[in-house]
Amino acid sequence: MVYDKGKVITGLVVFLIILLSPLWYNALSGKVEPSLKLSMPKEEKSCIEERMFMRSNHMDLLIKWRDDAVRKGIRTYKGLDGKVYRISLTGTCLSCHIDKAGFCDRCHGYSGVKTPKCWDCHNIPKEEGSKV
Amino acid sequence: MPVLYASLLTLFLILIPGIGIGLFNMKALFGIVVLYGAFLIFISGVIYRVIIWAKSPVPFSIPTVCGQAKSLPWIRQNKIESPHTSWGVIKRMLLEVLFFRSLLRNEKGRLKTGGRLLFYRNLLLWFGGVLFHWSLFIIIIRHLRLFLEPVPSFVEFIYGLDGLFELFTPPLLITDLLILLGIIYLFFRRLFDPQTRYISISTDYFPLMLIFAIVITGLLIRHVQKVDIMGIKAFLIGLFSFNPSLPKESNTIFYIHLFLVATLLSYLPFSKLIHMAGVFFSPTRNLKNSSRMERHINPWDYPVLVHTYEEWEDEFRAAMKDVGLPVEKEN
C-alpha cells in the first residue's frame, strides 16, 4: 500500500516534467532546426584556419588578434595555408562574413552565449550608421 | 583504504571511455547506448526508491523538533522549528532543502584544560555544503542551454551572471570554481577529522571524486581542449527527440565527461545520493508536531481481541460470590 498517494505522485510527476524538459520544451517551441544554417561567404571556400578549429577556437584567435594588434602592434597573421593575413576584425573577418545576424548571432544565440564585447568598439557591417 | 578504492574506481571509470573512444572509437556505444541506458536507470531507479519509501508505514509521530511546540496561548510557539500545520511543515522543509538549516546547528566539542568540554558552533560544514549543492544546481541549470532551443532567458541570465568576471574566453564560470572548493573541503573534512574519517567508507569518497572528475573534464573541454558546442547541442537535442545521431565530436575528454555523468546518473538512485528524493520522505522532517492535538494512527494497528476485567467478572461472578471473593458489581 502506498501512503500519501496524491503527494507522492505529484512529486514524481513534477520530477519527471523537470527532468524531461528538453523533450516537451523543444517539441512545443518547434524551433529546433535539423541543421543550423549560417550565411556563409560565397567567394571564399576556406577560412584562415581549419573549419573545426574555427568552430571551437575562434574566440582564442580573436583574442590573440586583439592582443597582437592593440597591445603588441603586430599587424600580420600567418594562416593555415601559409598565406599572410592582415590582422583586422573589420577588414579581414568581416570582409567575408558580412552578415553578423546570419553568421555570428546564429550560433551565439543557439548556444545561449551573448555576443561578446566585439561590438562595443567595432562597427556592425550592414547596420545603419555603419561605416563599413 | 576507502580512499584508495574510491580513487581506483574513479580512475577505472575514466579509463573505460578513454580507451573505448581513444583507441576503438566506439562512438555509438558511449554516445548513444550508454547515455540512454543511464537515463533509463536514473528515472526508473528514482521511481523505484520513491515507491519503496511511500510504501513504508510511519508507525509513530516522530518529528525531530528543537523549539517550543504549540501549547497554551500565552506560550510562544517556535513556528519554524516546531510547526503544527502542514503549511508550517512546508516552510520548515523548504528551509531545510534550500538552505540546509539544520547544519547551522552543527557543533564540535573540544576538551579544554581542566577537563572542561566546550561546544563550539562550526559552520564550515554548512558552508561547504551550500557551496557544493548550490554550485551543482546552477551548473545543471546553465547546462540547459545545451538542451533547450530556444535558450530560455533565465538560463541565459544565469549563464551570463556565472561568467561575470570575464576572465579568459570563454569566460571562466564562478560556480565551476566554487564547486571545486566545496568538493575539496568536503573531501578533506572526511580525511582530516578523526571522527568523520572513522565512519567514512569508500561510498562516501567515491561520489565526491566522481563529481570532481566531472567538473575537471568539463573545465577541460571548455577551456583547454575546446569542443564544438553547436555539434554537441544538435547531438543532445537529437537524443531527447529520440532521433539520435552519432556525435561528430572527436575529443576523448568530452566522452569521458559524458560517461562520468552517465555513471553518476545510474549510480544516484542506488547510493547515498538519493537523499535528493529521500529528504522529502524523512518522517523526522515531514511530520507535523501535532501529536497533542491529533492522534497519529499507526497503520499497523489491527483490532486486538481483548477480554476486559468487567467481562471476566461477568463471566465468573457467580463462582466468585460462592467462594466469597469481592466483586465490583453485584450482578
Side-chain angles (χ1 to χ4, degrees):
Chain A
M1 176 183 161
V2 174
Y3 299 95
D4 290 322
K5 217 178 241 171
K7 287 181 205 162
V8 172
I9 290 174
T10 315
L12 280 177
V13 166
V14 169
F15 166 73
L16 285 179
I17 287 178
I18 294 174
L19 192 68
L20 298 175
S21 57
L23 216 145
W24 55 262
Y25 183 92
N26 292 338
L28 285 182
S29 83
K31 292 251 171 73
V32 178
E33 301 165 48
S35 62
L36 211 59
K37 285 199 181 61
L38 302 179
S39 86
M40 296 301 266
K42 289 182 184 71
E43 301 82 36
E44 281 294 335
K45 282 285 162 256
S46 67
C47 202
I48 58 176
E49 291 284 348
E50 261 176 55
R51 178 183 291 240
M52 283 316 279
F53 176 86
M54 289 310 286
R55 267 193 204 169
S56 48
N57 293 68
H58 61 277
M59 65 299 264
D60 293 331
L61 190 84
L62 288 170
I63 289 290
K64 184 182 158 25
W65 276 29
R66 182 202 66 186
D67 290 353
D68 278 0
V70 180
R71 299 185 184 164
K72 297 180 194 153
I74 305 169
R75 274 292 182 175
T76 50
Y77 178 83
K78 199 179 234 179
L80 180 65
D81 44 3
K83 209 171 141 192
V84 175
Y85 294 90
R86 195 166 72 86
I87 291 188
S88 161
L89 179 73
T90 326
T92 309
C93 303
L94 300 182
S95 66
C96 293
H97 303 292
I98 44 171
D99 186 7
K100 171 178 175 278
F103 186 73
C104 308
D105 294 352
R106 295 285 286 150
C107 292
H108 275 252
Y110 187 64
S111 60
V113 181
K114 289 221 177 71
T115 311
K117 304 260 161 172
C118 311
W119 319 108
D120 286 6
C121 309
H122 289 276
N123 274 328
I124 298 169
K126 278 195 189 170
E127 223 175 48
E128 250 176 72
S130 162
K131 285 173 220 116
V132 180
Chain B
M1 276 318 252
V3 184
L4 185 71
Y5 290 144
S7 21
L8 282 180
L9 184 57
T10 315
L11 269 182
F12 179 63
L13 287 169
I14 293 173
L15 280 179
I16 296 174
I19 291 172
I21 291 290
L23 295 185
F24 303 106
N25 205 23
M26 291 144 77
K27 281 186 184 170
L29 177 66
F30 289 104
I32 298 173
V33 180
V34 166
L35 298 184
Y36 273 134
F39 203 71
L40 212 65
I41 293 174
F42 175 63
I43 291 188
S44 45
V46 169
I47 293 175
Y48 170 75
R49 291 296 298 261
V50 162
I51 286 178
I52 284 190
W53 278 320
K55 276 183 171 176
S56 314
V58 179
F60 304 113
S61 176
I62 50 164
T64 42
V65 296
C66 45
Q68 175 60 50
K70 171 86 175 153
S71 178
L72 297 168
W74 45 272
I75 298 177
R76 192 195 289 159
Q77 178 196 7
N78 188 337
K79 282 193 175 159
I80 297 176
E81 293 293 3
S82 187
H84 73 289
T85 57
S86 297
W87 179 233
V89 167
I90 291 173
K91 275 195 272 188
R92 184 162 96 119
M93 192 61 120
L94 273 181
L95 284 173
E96 183 61 31
V97 171
L98 296 178
F99 304 111
F100 319 138
R101 204 156 168 278
S102 59
L103 280 184
L104 291 171
R105 285 194 293 274
N106 187 32
E107 283 179 345
K108 219 168 151 46
R110 268 204 210 106
L111 210 50
K112 287 291 184 188
T113 44
R116 281 199 311 152
L117 183 63
L118 286 185
F119 285 92
Y120 293 93
R121 172 168 284 203
N122 182 358
L123 291 183
L124 267 178
L125 177 60
W126 172 82
F127 189 63
V130 166
L131 269 188
F132 172 75
H133 284 89
W134 270 96
S135 300
L136 186 62
F137 179 62
I138 292 173
I139 288 173
I140 291 170
I141 294 276
R142 60 174 166 68
H143 268 76
L144 286 179
R145 78 191 174 98
L146 304 175
F147 292 89
L148 304 181
E149 175 60 25
V151 182
S153 50
F154 78 95
V155 173
E156 227 169 68
F157 175 73
I158 287 176
Y159 179 62
L161 206 62
D162 211 351
L164 194 69
F165 288 153
E166 299 196 357
L167 203 64
F168 311 129
T169 21
L172 188 67
L173 299 161
I174 302 165
T175 46
D176 281 345
L177 295 184
L178 294 183
I179 198 175
L180 284 182
L181 209 68
I183 294 176
I184 289 170
Y185 167 71
L186 293 173
F187 186 80
F188 284 105
R189 183 187 78 97
R190 286 197 179 278
L191 272 187
F192 291 135
D193 184 47
Q195 291 91 344
T196 321
R197 181 181 177 152
Y198 182 71
I199 57 166
S200 295
I201 54 175
S202 50
T203 51
D204 289 319
Y205 295 106
F206 173 64
L208 288 172
M209 288 185 165
L210 184 65
I211 295 174
F212 184 79
I214 291 174
V215 176
I216 293 294
T217 48
L219 277 170
L220 283 177
I221 53 178
R222 181 176 169 85
H223 293 288
V224 183
Q225 276 218 10
K226 291 171 185 163
V227 288
D228 169 29
I229 300 290
M230 303 313 118
I232 287 174
K233 183 164 182 178
F235 157 67
L236 290 173
I237 286 182
L239 281 183
F240 265 99
S241 53
F242 303 109
N243 185 19
S245 54
L246 280 181
K248 293 195 191 83
E249 195 56 51
S250 55
N251 187 340
T252 312
I253 305 175
F254 168 68
Y255 290 95
I256 296 178
H257 188 68
L258 276 188
F259 186 74
L260 293 180
V261 172
T263 311
L264 182 67
L265 280 180
S266 46
Y267 174 72
L268 195 144
F270 311 102
S271 64
K272 62 186 275 193
L273 302 178
I274 192 66
H275 68 264
M276 172 187 104
V279 63
F280 298 104
F281 287 89
S282 314
T284 52
R285 300 238 145 249
N286 68 14
L287 288 177
K288 298 178 272 200
N289 189 16
S290 60
S291 53
R292 294 184 178 187
M293 282 163 254
E294 298 157 32
R295 182 160 180 218
H296 182 90
I297 306 288
N298 182 351
W300 300 338
D301 276 352
Y302 52 90
V304 178
L305 281 178
V306 287
H307 195 52
T308 61
Y309 178 74
E310 285 76 18
E311 288 164 353
W312 188 84
E313 201 184 80
D314 286 345
E315 200 177 333
F316 295 105
R317 183 167 292 111
M320 288 169 80
K321 277 184 172 172
D322 282 352
V323 294
L325 281 174
V327 286
E328 287 191 348
K329 279 199 282 182
E330 284 306 318
N331 44 53

